[in-house]
Amino acid sequence: YFRSVQVGSEEEQNEEKVERSRNLGKKVRLIFVLAILQTIFSIFDFFEKTPIIYYTGTIGLIVIGFIYGIVLLLMSEECDRFKTAGICNIIVALGSILIGVVIKGALGLILTLVVFILSCVALYQEIYGYSDTLSGISDTLSMKWCEIWKYMLICYIVIQASEIILVLISPILAIIGMIGGCIGLIVVEIMRLICLNDTARTFDTYAESFE
């Protein structure tokens, strides 16, 4: 009797793992597509002198931000970190609308700072959400996500420090720092996209191993 109960319990756990991994795999793959679209629309910011392209990119980023946040909220059943990341992404999208359309001046600068902080919180919670859900499935990939956050944080610090150097010390050093920080962010963003694809594939493979 106890042996049959134990076998039944293990089968239920395996079914739960399969369903959980399958759902996460589908949603992470959707996040991967949205992240690629975000990267593409971000390039449109460089076309500020061409209003149609520039505003298309801005609107695209806001819409994708909403969808991105909703998908993360749907993933919150597996990890609470995704809930925080999803809420922050939605707030950031709303804040971007206010900054672009309604609020200007000093209040706009304050709101821009708040949006930047919330976007960092969203990114941190999302990245560590992947790390937590991968723990025990692929510890190597879980650690890679932690490393990506560290690299992103270093790049953000370099860029912000460069803006201070521009004002206080040396424009040349500031420009070098900005270029280095931006190149670093591009490299880390590529790493993030690769890890997203690997994460989706890992969840799919893990689900298939129980079938």
Side-chain angles (χ1 to χ4, degrees), residues 49-113:
K49 293 183 179 180
T50 310
I52 295 176
I53 298 176
Y54 179 77
Y55 287 113
T56 299
T58 303
I59 294 169
L61 285 173
I62 292 171
V63 172
I64 292 170
F66 274 114
I67 299 172
Y68 202 106
I70 292 169
V71 175
L72 286 172
L73 286 175
L74 294 174
M75 294 169 63
S76 64
E77 295 179 358
E78 311 301 337
C79 180
D80 288 338
R81 289 185 183 275
F82 291 130
K83 183 177 181 179
T84 305
I87 293 171
C88 287
N89 269 286
I90 292 172
I91 294 173
V92 166
L94 288 171
S96 299
I97 295 173
L98 293 175
I99 293 168
V101 179
V102 182
I103 300 175
K104 303 291 183 182
L107 189 58
L109 291 174
I110 294 171
L111 185 57
T112 301
L113 179 61

Side-chain angles (χ1 to χ4, degrees), residues 11-27 77-78 203-204 206-208 210-211:
E11 288 178 353
E12 288 178 2
Q13 289 177 1
N14 288 341
E15 288 177 4
E16 185 180 342
K17 289 177 182 178
V18 169
E19 190 63 28
R20 177 174 175 265
S21 298
R22 189 184 291 114
N23 288 335
L24 278 171
K26 290 177 181 177
K27 291 181 176 68
E77 295 179 358
E78 311 301 337
F203 283 128
D204 290 341
Y206 188 73
E208 290 172 0
F210 285 96
E211 293 178 347

Side-chain angles (χ1 to χ4, degrees), residues 107-142:
L107 189 58
L109 291 174
I110 294 171
L111 185 57
T112 301
L113 179 61
V114 172
V115 165
F116 173 73
I117 293 171
L118 285 175
S119 62
C120 288
V121 172
L123 189 60
Y124 172 82
Q125 292 292 341
E126 181 188 350
I127 285 174
Y128 274 88
Y130 298 134
S131 180
D132 290 350
T133 51
L134 284 166
S135 181
I137 298 175
S138 175
D139 292 332
T140 302
L141 191 54
S142 176

